[in-house]
């Protein structure tokens, strides 16, 4: 670690606040250069200091606009996420950027969150694995990541002030889990604290979060930076472990820190540590700079196209309407403004100025040279003055006259953004009207969607045979859509979040967005499919769902439990006629667990590319640590000894094969005492058998009055404290029996 010995208090304090909007302070006299940062995450938002803003308002230099996290996540492809990370590093080097502000691995708690487009998934494993792959790719090329927003930043409503009130187990297993994985598997150069409070304490000054958990438990040794403007009390933030305040607070932050040290409120050694971390980051960044770096924008455009292809999810394809024949002399009506003016990224601090922009209309026209392509915008986008009725009538006519109608619908930019949440899941009214009329005029209507957060499909999906969810597809999304529509590419995207039937079904519905400054995470662990599947709630499309132009069969499931975890092997066959990719998903359930568990949880996945007729064995390795739950009584992770259920399938509801695996527990159950219930005693490995012996005495004494095991009376006795049972008049257990029993379990056998 770089030392800051010899620096004055003022110099050290100056290092711990930014200089300007995007830089850290430099101390050239002692060889500490400035670090340059930029948003992030799906492309470089490079602004001059004069034009700086963190709201996506001012201009930024042209950079490749890759599809945002929602789309990348739907690829389930870690190798691809790594390649995107590397490409982003090359662009960062070319522009002299040392740290790219991403990825965002916050969990999609509710589909309403305005920033869901920037986050990966409702599932912590998928979010963490993809986030780690992205960071590893970026940092392998010498550019630092900023893992954000730490933590429990799951809504935009009141994001600067709201307290996310989350119970310990849920926080660990759901909301912190992706951060933990990225920190431990990829070591991001920086971690960015969030704006909100976590259980009442601002993330920026939450010592438990920034120091005890992040550094103490996870071993993090990088730098913690504030989200832009998240610092409330600079001295408290520093004491909690927030090294760098961004952007600059001028003299305010450093003065506050100095005063706090001079008055003895803050220990100077804390400042030394944080200043040294800033100096260390600067040293690391300077050593990795590549001033001559260049990148090929066309190559990156092609990579953006690959992600858009891989991330699109074919939700529905009745009668195999798709793919369309690219060589047929057909009439294709392309309808919807988004075909000509794509909605391809989200709004806010992540907004990128693309190097190029493909539109689907041009790409479709080029992909089907024998077809007659007509276009009708169909609806206005964010333009209240436009004549929606006229646009609709023209589009419906175009649809009626065509052999196939391809209808581009989605959320206008004004519907979703960083900074606010949606209030409903509906597409705009005029689009829904258009859809109803086009679908009535042409039964061969394909809907292509562009949206960052999920939209409700249940009101209209039955009217059209095919739906392709393209998400926000980045700057090459138009070409990617044509690749998929005409079968140049075979869809392989899978949902990284459930599409619910209606808003009222969503797990956080009753607690959203909170009241009096508090958002109670009342649904607990039951986020996304963990909720829908455990409660058996019908959904439009389950987590993990996505169709292909071919089919896959699963056979021969094998599980092998070892000391390090679980290997799950299955044979997957491409049973159709096209080359395709299957995302094999492994879910684990814990029947008989002593704690509350979701019906099943994603514990691993893998991708396999198969030729028609080809069969391949794939193995998913589940490390033992991933089987652990957070035991709140012990305040530690614990693997429970159980016969786990292992389900392998193509979505959380399309489970093709099931097996079991016996995994030994790594923690003794808590030692019971006189006030523990009979049930707890019986479940204890030492106490259970010993007590069973004593119960013979009770059986003998009670004779016919002994409640038979399994009877309703017995079940109510199970809940009684042992001391209570011993005091029952006819029960022959005395204090000596109890003392002996307790001594036995304390001695461990
Ligand atoms: C956002 C961050 C972003 C930062 C800098 C904040 O408003 O929450 O994600 O990196 O601004 O633009």
């Amino acid at each position: 670690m770089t030392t800051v010995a010899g620096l004055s208090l003022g110099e050290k304090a100056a290092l711990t606040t930014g200089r300007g909007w995007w830089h850290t302070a430099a101390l050239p006299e002692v060889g500490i250069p400035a670090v340059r940062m930029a948003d992030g995450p799906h492309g470089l938002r490079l602004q001059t200091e004069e034009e700086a803003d963190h709201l996506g308002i001012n201009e930024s230099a042209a950079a490749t606009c890759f599809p945002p996290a929602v789309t990348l996540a739907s690829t389930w492809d870690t190798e691809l996420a790594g390649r995107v990370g590397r490409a982003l590093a090359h662009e960062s080097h070319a522009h002299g950027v040392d740290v790219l502000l991403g990825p965002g691995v916050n969990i999609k708690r509710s589909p309403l969150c305005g920033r869901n487009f920037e986050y990966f998934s409702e599932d912590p494993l998928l979010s963490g694995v993809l986030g780690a792959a992205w960071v590893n790719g970026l940092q392998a090329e010498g550019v630092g990541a900023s893992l954000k927003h730490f933590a429990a930043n799951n809504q935009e409503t009141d994001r600067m002030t709201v307290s996310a009130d989350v119970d310990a187990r849920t926080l660990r297993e759901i909301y912190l889990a992706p951060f933990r994985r990225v920190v431990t598997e990829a070591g991001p150069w920086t971690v960015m604290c969030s704006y909100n409070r976590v259980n009442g304490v601002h993330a920026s000054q939450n010592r438990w979060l920034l120091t005890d958990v992040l550094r103490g438990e996870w071993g993090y040794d990088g730098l913690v930076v504030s989200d832009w403007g998240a610092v409330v009390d600079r001295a408290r933030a520093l004491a909690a472990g927030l090294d760098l305040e961004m952007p600059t607070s001028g003299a305010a932050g450093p003065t506050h820190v100095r005063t706090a040290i001079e008055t003895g409120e803050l220990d100077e050694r804390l400042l030394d540590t944080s200043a040294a971390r800033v100096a260390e980051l600067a040293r690391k960044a300077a050593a990795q700079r590549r001033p001559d770096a260049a990148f090929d924008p066309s190559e990156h455009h092609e990579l953006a196209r690959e992600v858009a292809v891989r991330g699109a999810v074919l939700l529905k394809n009745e009668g195999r309407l798709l793919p369309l024949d690219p060589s047929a002399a057909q009439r294709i009506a392309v309808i919807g403004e988004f075909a000509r003016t794509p909605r391809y990224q989200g709004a806010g601090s992540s907004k990128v100025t693309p190097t190029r922009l493909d539109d689907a209309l041009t790409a479709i026209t080029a992909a089907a040279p024998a077809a007659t392509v007509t276009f009708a915008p169909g609806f206005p986008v964010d333009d209240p003055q436009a004549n929606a009725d006229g646009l609709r009538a023209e589009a419906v006519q175009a649809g009626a006259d065509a052999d196939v109608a391809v209808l581009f619908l989605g959320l206008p930019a004004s519907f979703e953004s960083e900074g606010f949440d949606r209030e409903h899941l509906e597409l705009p009214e005029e689009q829904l009207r258009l859809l109803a009329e086009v679908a009535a005029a042409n039964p061969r209507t394909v809907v292509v969607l562009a949206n960052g957060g999920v939209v409700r499909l249940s009101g209209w999906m039955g009217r059209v045979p095919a739906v392709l969810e393209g998400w926000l597809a980045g700057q090459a999304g138009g070409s990617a859509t044509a690749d998929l529509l005409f079968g140049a590419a075979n869809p392989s995207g899978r949902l990284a979040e459930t599409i619910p039937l209606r808003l009222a079904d969503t797990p956080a519905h009753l607690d959203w967005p909170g009241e009096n400054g508090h958002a109670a995470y009342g649904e607990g662990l039951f986020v996304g499919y963990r909720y829908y599947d455990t409660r058996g709630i019908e959904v439009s499309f389950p987590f993990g769902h996505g169709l292909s132009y071919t089919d896959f069969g699963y056979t021969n499931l094998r599980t092998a439990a070892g000391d390090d975890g679980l290997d799950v092997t299955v044979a997957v066959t491409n049973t159709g006629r096209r080359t395709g990719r299957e995302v094999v998903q492994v879910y684990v359930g814990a029947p008989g667990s002593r704690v509350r568990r979701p019906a099943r949880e994603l514990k691993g996945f893998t991708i396999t590319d198969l030729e028609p007729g080809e069969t391949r064995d794939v193995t998913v390795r589940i490390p033992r640590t991933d089987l652990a739950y957070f035991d709140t009584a012990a305040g530690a992770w614990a693997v429970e000894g159980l016969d786990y259920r292992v389900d392998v399938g193509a979505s959380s509801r399309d489970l093709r094969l099931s097996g079991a695996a016996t995994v030994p527990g790594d923690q003794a159950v808590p030692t019971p005492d006189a006030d523990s219930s009979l049930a707890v005693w019986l479940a204890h490995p030492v106490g259970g058998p010993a007590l069973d012996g004593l119960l013979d005495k009770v059986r003998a004494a009670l004779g016919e009055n002994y409640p038979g095991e399994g009877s309703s009376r017995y079940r109510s006795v199970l809940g009684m404290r042992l001391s209570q049972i011993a005091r029952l008049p006819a029960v022959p257990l005395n204090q000596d029996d109890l003392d002996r029993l307790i001594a036995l379990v304390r001695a461990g056998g």
Side-chain angles (χ1 to χ4, degrees), residues 590-624:
S593 170
R594 57 182 288 267
V595 293
R596 205 147 57 123
R597 301 266 199 166
R600 66 188 67 90
E601 298 184 280
L602 183 75
K603 291 293 176 190
F605 59 91
T606 191
I607 282 171
T608 178
D609 292 298
L610 296 167
E611 300 296 323
E614 188 184 352
T615 297
R616 222 180 262 178
D617 258 0
V618 298
T619 297
V620 172
R621 187 150 291 167
I622 304 171
R624 184 175 165 84

Side-chain angles (χ1 to χ4, degrees), residues 653-708:
R653 298 229 172 150
D654 182 7
L655 306 173
R656 305 290 182 84
L657 296 170
S658 287
T662 305
V663 176
D666 59 5
Q667 218 205 20
V669 282
T671 308
D673 60 20
D675 286 335
S676 302
S677 69
L678 180 62
V680 167
W681 270 99
L682 289 172
H684 189 265
V686 177
L691 181 63
D692 208 32
L694 269 187
L695 287 181
D696 286 342
K697 227 166 123 184
V698 181
R699 271 187 212 107
L702 295 188
E704 278 189 358
N705 284 332
Y706 183 80

Side-chain angles (χ1 to χ4, degrees), residues 22 39 53-54 101 115 118 148-149 159 192 195 227-228 349 418:
W22 300 118
D39 279 310
D53 74 280
H54 62 308
L101 302 177
R115 234 175 157 175
E118 237 181 293
K148 64 190 189 182
H149 308 91
R159 68 169 165 160
M192 185 193 292
Y195 285 128
D227 197 347
W228 267 231
S349 61
E418 175 180 345

